[in-house]
Amino acid sequence: MNSKPVMLITGAAHGLGRALAERAIDGHRVALFDRDEAAGRATAEALRLAGGEVLFLHGDVSSERDLRQAVERIQRRWGRLDVLINNAGLAAAGPFEALDEQSWEAPWRVNVMGAVYGCRAALTLMKRQGHGQLVNVAALAGLTAPPGMASYVACNAALIRLSEALAAELSVLGIRVSVVCPDLFPSDLDQRMAGADALSRARLQRALRRAPDSAGQVAERILAALPKAPLHILPQREAKKAWRRKRRRPARFLEAMKEKARRLRRHT
């Protein structure tokens, strides 16, 4: 009987989700959930060829029905679900007054409600098991609140607070909760933006290219942290430093954000 734990990763066809899947298959049976069916199936096939036990599940995290059906398929296939990583997400950027309705609603549906739906679907099975781990991938922006990304900041802040609330509430059920708050790393995040203007998209592209850590490095650090299930996982050194600076000297940190905002506004 296969005793490997089962992990479900959303947004698993690209970027951090794929990097997590590639590094988890040695110790887990992995279910990949993504709305990009072609890329998802290609990723699943590559992982099978590498010796992994993989299941691809096509769906959209903004649909609770899709996620519930995914968990039901996992239960039928493997009979358990040990870890859920809510990784799927959208970015949004631009001056506050230029953010349209789509810039607020799309990230909220995917980043926040996608995690809510994922946790609710997984909880049905995890409660019966008496154990499980829910991992929500937010972003450092939800802690540091940089200017020029108001809707993205708000969504990630909400996801962080949701995770903190669930960590306490679900602990009595034997279910552990963590929230991951990475800073930028090279990825296709700029291709998954809601309503961004050309200048804001270009700025994000430059920042992603200059980021020092790869998606693989970030994924390795996340997976290494999961056994201890810390509430907050900051998988990069600079992210940890930024969070410490804000907590220790909030007024000074705010002044640094104001200066960043002045530089942004000079070009808008």
Side-chain angles (χ1 to χ4, degrees):
M1 183 176 177
N2 192 335
S3 61
K4 280 187 178 181
V6 175
M7 177 181 290
L8 168 60
I9 304 170
T10 69
H14 303 278
L16 181 59
R18 177 165 181 153
L20 286 164
E22 290 170 343
R23 287 153 181 80
I25 57 169
D26 286 342
H28 298 79
R29 291 170 282 177
V30 180
L32 313 175
F33 184 97
D34 206 288
R35 66 180 181 180
D36 186 340
E37 186 169 10
R41 292 194 182 280
T43 300
E45 182 59 24
L47 295 179
R48 289 190 193 99
L49 291 174
E53 190 172 353
V54 185
L55 173 65
F56 174 68
L57 302 160
H58 179 233
D60 190 326
V61 296
S62 63
S63 166
E64 185 166 18
R65 179 182 178 184
D66 284 0
L67 283 161
R68 288 197 177 277
Q69 289 178 342
V71 171
E72 290 168 2
R73 283 191 60 191
I74 291 169
Q75 183 178 13
R76 291 195 298 269
R77 173 78 171 266
W78 290 317
R80 60 192 285 184
L81 176 59
D82 300 279
V83 183
L84 164 66
I85 302 183
N86 285 310
N87 167 74
L90 291 177
F96 173 71
E97 66 274 18
L99 294 173
D100 59 15
E101 191 171 356
Q102 176 74 358
S103 301
W104 288 94
E105 290 187 353
W108 185 267
R109 287 196 306 270
V110 174
N111 301 18
V112 181
M113 294 312 299
V116 169
Y117 296 152
C119 288
R120 289 207 301 208
L123 189 59
T124 302
L125 180 51
M126 290 180 176
K127 281 176 67 175
R128 289 201 293 268
Q129 295 171 170
H131 74 273
Q133 186 169 10
L134 303 174
V135 182
N136 295 321
V137 179
L140 183 66
L143 295 171
T144 57
M149 304 183 80
S151 61
Y152 187 62
V153 166
C155 286
N156 282 286
L159 184 53
I160 292 166
R161 292 296 182 246
L162 168 68
S163 303
E164 292 170 349
L166 293 181
E169 181 175 342
L170 302 183
S171 63
V172 296
L173 302 176
I175 296 168
R176 303 178 298 173
V177 179
S178 297
V179 59
V180 183
C181 301
D183 200 354
L184 295 177
F185 53 87
S187 72
D188 61 352
L189 185 64
D190 59 296
Q191 302 302 312
R192 292 178 284 110
M193 297 185 72
D197 62 276
L199 180 58
S200 297
R201 190 182 297 275
R203 284 172 175 158
L204 180 58
Q205 288 171 339
R206 287 196 299 271
L208 291 171
R209 286 197 302 268
R210 294 170 182 170
D213 297 302
S214 68
Q217 290 172 316
V218 173
E220 287 171 3
R221 294 167 193 159
I222 293 170
L223 294 173
L226 292 190
K228 292 184 179 180
L231 176 53
H232 302 100
I233 300 174
L234 282 80
Q236 294 140 300
R237 182 179 301 176
E238 289 305 312
K240 293 175 183 177
K241 288 182 179 178
W243 194 29
R244 284 196 295 267
R245 286 196 298 270
K246 182 174 184 180
R247 286 182 296 161
R248 292 173 180 173
R249 294 184 174 88
R252 181 180 295 182
F253 192 88
L254 178 59
E255 288 305 313
M257 291 296 105
K258 288 180 179 179
E259 176 57 32
K260 185 174 182 179
R262 282 190 284 272
R263 292 197 302 269
L264 289 173
R265 287 283 176 170
R266 281 200 295 267
H267 302 287
T268 56

